[in-house]
Amino acid sequence: MALSVIDLCRDVLPQTNCGDCGYRSCMALAGMVVSEKLSLENCPHLDAETIQRCSRELAAQYSQGKWLKRDMAEDALFWARQGSAAIDIEDLPERIGGKIVERAGQKVLELPYFNDVVHIARQGISKNDGSEITRNEQVFLYIHMARGGSAKPSGNWKSLKEFPNTVSKVVSMKAHVEAPLKEKFSGNPAGLAKRARKIGGIDQTGDYGTADLAFLFQVLPRVPVMLVFWDAEPEDGFEAEVRLLFDQTITGHLDIESIMFLSERLKDLLC
């Protein structure tokens, strides 16, 4: 018989909400046991026989995936891989850039990524040293591969709000990318320039008039990002301002969620 959170709390746990397990209530502990496979042994008030009996029932429902918390990152990676499964790796350089090289006896795509390279093979994506990249970065790259875009950058730059269906993402961009960069580098444009160069940024300040800094980042061969920075001017009441600009072709290569991911990744590298 399967044990739901309610069953476990009502029929097995002592319902004292004593906190001896490290959780505020028996219901909270039951939720962790059912959805995240926390051991019942965390409750010090259960006898060994009860733990053994319930553990057998829990093991059966875990094996069926019943009531388990879904790993959303793993799901996203699975579907991203599915979306790119039919792609011939040898066709990718012409469409998204990079080059085909041989590693461990097989042909893989060597793709520049920020100031490094990744290797894309049929069985997965790895860093240049052979270690795996994060699941979120793998999803990002699989989406780029499957998106179908082939256009080279046009040199026509746009802010996120100029692309369709980005109203909510513009708010996220301000909160999670622009605000942290402003806080980190307000009054310190030299520090921002140093970090930008360290991760492969190319100084374009001379092309941006009143801006104190402008750096071009070649995130992927056909996905450039421009960061423009105006430092604070307290005597005139102006705060620092940061803006990320994207080539107008980017939506052919990435969806809006992926554009947000690369923006946050760039912020993390700079900060």
Side-chain angles (χ1 to χ4, degrees), residues 53 177 179 201:
R53 171 176 55 81
V177 179

Side-chain angles (χ1 to χ4, degrees), residues 95 143-144 147 149-151 222-223 249-255:
R95 184 160 62 78
I143 289 172
H144 177 47
R147 188 73 173 169
S150 60
R222 298 195 180 175
V223 182
T249 60
I250 194 171
T251 50
H253 294 287
L254 296 170
D255 59 20

Side-chain angles (χ1 to χ4, degrees), residues 144-248:
H144 177 47
M145 290 162 56
R147 188 73 173 169
S150 60
K152 294 180 180 180
S154 66
N156 184 5
W157 297 99
K158 292 185 175 184
S159 62
L160 186 64
K161 67 181 180 182
E162 295 177 80
F163 294 98
N165 305 315
T166 57
V167 174
S168 64
K169 299 304 179 186
V170 168
V171 176
S172 295
M173 178 73 79
K174 289 180 179 178
H176 302 298
V177 179
E178 294 174 359
L181 287 169
K182 286 164 60 174
E183 181 179 353
K184 177 78 173 178
F185 295 108
S186 180
N188 185 23
L192 176 56
K194 182 178 179 180
R195 287 296 307 164
R197 291 190 183 95
K198 187 171 183 178
I199 63 170
I202 301 168
D203 195 338
Q204 304 279 293
T205 305
D207 297 334
Y208 279 84
T210 61
D212 292 288
L213 287 176
F215 273 85
L216 172 67
F217 299 91
Q218 198 67 49
V219 177
L220 291 160
R222 298 195 180 175
V223 182
V225 178
M226 186 74 72
L227 182 147
V228 187
F229 176 79
W230 293 264
D231 199 10
E233 297 182 13
E235 64 278 6
D236 295 323
F238 292 111
E239 294 183 353
E241 184 178 349
V242 177
R243 194 175 304 158
L244 291 189
L245 303 176
F246 308 93
D247 193 88
Q248 68 175 5

